[in-house]
Amino acid sequence: MSEAKLLNDVTDEQLRSYLVPLAFLTLLFLMWGFITSMNDILIPHFQNVFQLSHLQAMLIQFCFFGAYFIISVIYFFSSIRHGDLISKIGYKKGIILGLLIMAFGCLLFYPAAEFKLYSLFLSALFILASGMTLLQIAANPYVALLGKPKNAAGRLNLTQAVNSFGTTVGPLIGAYFIFSPISDLLHVDVKSVQTPYLTLAAILGILAIFFVFAKLPKLTENTSVVKGLGAIKYRHLVLGAICIFMYVGGEVTIGSTLIRFLNLENIAGLSEKEASVFLSFYWGGLMVGRFFGAIALSNMKSNTIRSAAFGAVVVLSFVTVYFLIGERISLIWLGLVLFNLVAFIAGGYKPNRTLGLFAAIVIFLILIALLAQGEVAMWAILSIGLFNSIMWSNIFTLAIKGLGKYTSQGSSVLIMAILGAAVVPLLQGFAADLLGIHMSFIIPLFCYFYVLYYGFYGYKINKITLNTNLNK
């Protein structure tokens, strides 16, 4: 019996038993969100320490997300020859292996700082991201399968919302340690990165031990291990992989450039530490939007309950910013959040329609940022996070829909496409050295045009291919 069939037949009691493992998995999403956003702090910090150009500084993202591509390629071709690794060892062991590799990558930050080697930092980031790649290959489809298929997008939006909480607090905590007055005096030693990454290594090690003893549903036990190129026969998966490339490329390059963008005198003229606070608005927008997505795509039968949940997110978001930042900025933020909510409603709670609409809005916001200056340009870029929110989960669920026994292999293809987060920042770094930071945002603009295409057309399944493959 296939996993898809198995999960269509699960009872309500079994679904309730999945709540605990789903809670465990949200911790993983939080951790890799935190670690990923720390790169946005490392970029300007290392740029100051090692006197790097914009292009050289973007090697941080190139090595980090390049690992996603390389490990996914290895995984994919291994699955062609030997069958799907996750189907053989199980999701649980895949998660534990990923956590241990990530912990080792974090530990390497200590000698890298001691010897002041930029190359060793890049190697540490590559190893760290390699573990994260295995974790994503295992965890993303596991979350999608851990319940009824029709609610898969809602579950992924929820876990991605927690992931975004990690990306929101990451810049704040990273800035506290790395851009503190003491660390400013020790830039040549770069030892301010040691404490946060050693702490991360310890947490990842503890999580690995925790998962060793955790009881997780063995959803792969009744599946056959398949070989061959079955996954890439699906047109919507291939187009979805290109969409992931474009989306993560656009999202990461914007986050990577934001601090330098906010440094510009004609935009905000903020210091690195001050800009780090506003960077949290960008990543925090993903968190708020993903909570909206989890609510919109959930199986709530009552519109009253759904509306109350939407309202709770709006109020909590406003109150948090009000008490942390102040009235003026909280009112600006409230307006942006309400605009995001209206866009969700306009999307009709349909994953593909919402994806296309949000891509159109992001294109509009980038055009405003390119043509304007000051606070208008600043908030246009910062608010993009709100509309990036559901893109990963919606693209992912649309792309793996109907893959059946090829789901894990298809997942590796999509994770492989995270190469966009390595390539696009390099392109924007080159554009920034050539045209300046402000005009370099033309690079992610082109990325979102493709996301627009996939949301309105590219997601459609080629039913002839689908039926043919399912009958093999």
Side-chain angles (χ1 to χ4, degrees):
M1 183 181 293
S2 69
E3 278 186 333
K5 178 66 175 175
L6 179 66
L7 286 169
N8 280 324
D9 294 340
V10 294
T11 65
D12 290 339
E13 183 178 351
Q14 287 175 309
L15 289 175
R16 285 192 293 271
S17 71
Y18 292 159
L19 293 178
V20 173
L22 188 60
F24 292 161
L25 289 167
T26 59
L27 293 174
L28 303 183
F29 281 77
L30 186 148
M31 287 302 299
W32 77 53
F34 183 96
I35 291 170
T36 301
S37 68
M38 285 288 287
N39 291 351
D40 297 335
I41 299 297
L42 294 178
I43 288 171
H45 181 60
F46 286 167
Q47 198 168 7
N48 291 333
V49 172
F50 298 106
Q51 296 298 299
L52 306 173
S53 68
H54 293 300
L55 179 61
Q56 290 170 327
M58 287 300 184
L59 287 174
I60 289 173
Q61 300 291 33
F62 180 77
C63 289
F64 188 85
F65 289 103
Y68 277 80
F69 175 72
I70 292 173
I71 300 302
S72 294
V73 166
I74 294 172
Y75 184 96
F76 179 73
F77 284 103
S78 175
S79 71
I80 293 174
R81 185 172 181 180
H82 304 292
D84 195 290
L85 176 63
I86 297 300
S87 292
K88 286 184 175 181
I89 69 173
Y91 289 106
K92 178 177 177 177
K93 291 180 181 178
I95 289 169
I96 294 169
L97 179 61
L99 285 168
L100 292 176
I101 295 174
M102 288 173 65
F104 178 66
C106 288
L107 287 174
L108 285 180
F109 269 71
Y110 189 87
E114 286 293 319
F115 294 107
K116 305 170 188 176
L117 293 174
Y118 185 50
S119 58
L120 188 53
F121 277 116
L122 295 178
S123 299
L125 285 165
F126 182 89
I127 293 171
L128 172 58
S130 296
M132 198 176 294
T133 304
L134 290 176
L135 198 60
Q136 293 228 33
I137 290 173
N140 274 296
Y142 193 55
V143 170
L145 293 169
L146 205 58
K148 294 183 178 180
K150 67 178 182 180
N151 303 130
R155 286 192 300 278
L156 272 173
N157 270 307
L158 179 60
T159 53
Q160 288 293 323
V162 177
N163 172 270
S164 293
F165 178 73
T167 61
T168 301
V169 300
L172 296 175
I173 296 175
Y176 176 79
F177 284 101
I178 296 174
F179 293 139
S180 66
I182 295 177
S183 67
D184 287 341
L185 300 175
L186 299 174
H187 270 163
V188 292
D189 294 327
V190 293
K191 292 186 178 180
S192 57
V193 302
Q194 289 178 324
T195 298
Y197 279 90
L198 286 177
T199 303
L200 285 171
I203 295 172
L204 291 167
I206 292 171
L207 280 174
I209 295 172
F210 179 78
F211 272 91
V212 168
F213 296 101
K215 293 182 179 180
L216 302 180
K218 296 180 180 179
L219 298 179
T220 60
E221 61 183 0
N222 291 324
T223 60
S224 58
V225 178
V226 295
K227 301 179 182 181
L229 292 166
I232 63 172
K233 294 178 182 179
Y234 294 85
R235 172 182 173 275
H236 70 291
L237 172 70
V238 175
L239 295 180
I242 298 172
C243 194
I244 288 286
F245 180 98
M246 294 296 186
Y247 157 64
V248 297
E251 178 190 86
V252 169
T253 197
I254 290 172
S256 301
T257 312
L258 252 174
I259 290 180
R260 287 303 185 206
F261 179 68
L262 298 179
N263 286 158
L264 298 176
E265 290 298 328
N266 66 327
I267 301 299
L270 301 176
S271 68
E272 282 85 357
K273 190 171 185 179
E274 292 169 332
S276 299
V277 175
F278 284 93
L279 177 61
S280 290
F281 277 92
Y282 176 72
W283 293 116
L286 269 80
M287 177 177 63
V288 172
R290 283 169 175 170
F291 276 121
F292 282 155
I295 295 167
L297 299 174
S298 69
N299 59 352
M300 293 182 185
K301 297 180 180 180
S302 171
N303 288 330
T304 301
I305 295 176
R306 179 180 278 111
S307 299
F310 280 138
V313 173
V314 172
V315 171
L316 184 59
S317 173
F318 170 75
V319 170
T320 300
V321 176
Y322 180 86
F323 283 105
L324 291 179
I325 308 295
E327 181 180 359
R328 180 175 174 275
I329 291 179
S330 65
L331 290 174
I332 294 173
W333 183 244
L334 176 62
L336 294 172
V337 169
L338 290 174
F339 177 40
N340 184 243
L341 178 57
V342 169
F344 262 111
I345 296 171
Y349 308 145
K350 296 179 180 179
N352 66 289
R353 182 176 170 181
T354 305
L355 176 65
L357 178 60
F358 276 29
I361 292 173
V362 171
I363 291 169
F364 176 68
L365 292 170
I366 294 177
L367 287 173
I368 290 176
L370 285 169
L371 298 173
Q373 296 183 1
E375 281 196 303
V376 173
M378 180 182 84
W379 283 107
I381 290 295
L382 291 176
S383 61
I384 288 174
L386 285 161
F387 299 94
N388 276 337
S389 55
I390 49 80
M391 289 189 181
W392 169 268
S393 54
N394 284 23
I395 296 169
F396 197 94
T397 52
L398 288 169
I400 66 171
K401 185 177 181 181
L403 296 189
K405 61 185 179 181
Y406 297 113
T407 297
S408 290
Q409 188 182 82
S411 174
S412 71
V413 173
L414 296 176
I415 300 301
M416 197 187 307
I418 293 178
L419 177 66
V423 174
V424 177
L426 280 183
L427 293 176
Q428 184 159 2
F430 176 77
D433 288 331
L434 189 66
L435 304 173
I437 288 289
H438 195 162
M439 294 308 298
S440 70
F441 281 92
I442 195 172
I443 299 298
L445 176 66
F446 288 108
C447 294
Y448 287 100
F449 274 110
Y450 185 87
V451 179
L452 179 72
Y453 157 78
Y454 189 76
F456 287 122
Y457 181 76
Y459 78 96
K460 296 178 181 179
I461 299 175
N462 185 324
K463 293 188 177 181
I464 295 176
T465 302
L466 175 62
N467 292 334
T468 301
N469 286 333
L470 287 178
N471 291 327
K472 287 183 178 180

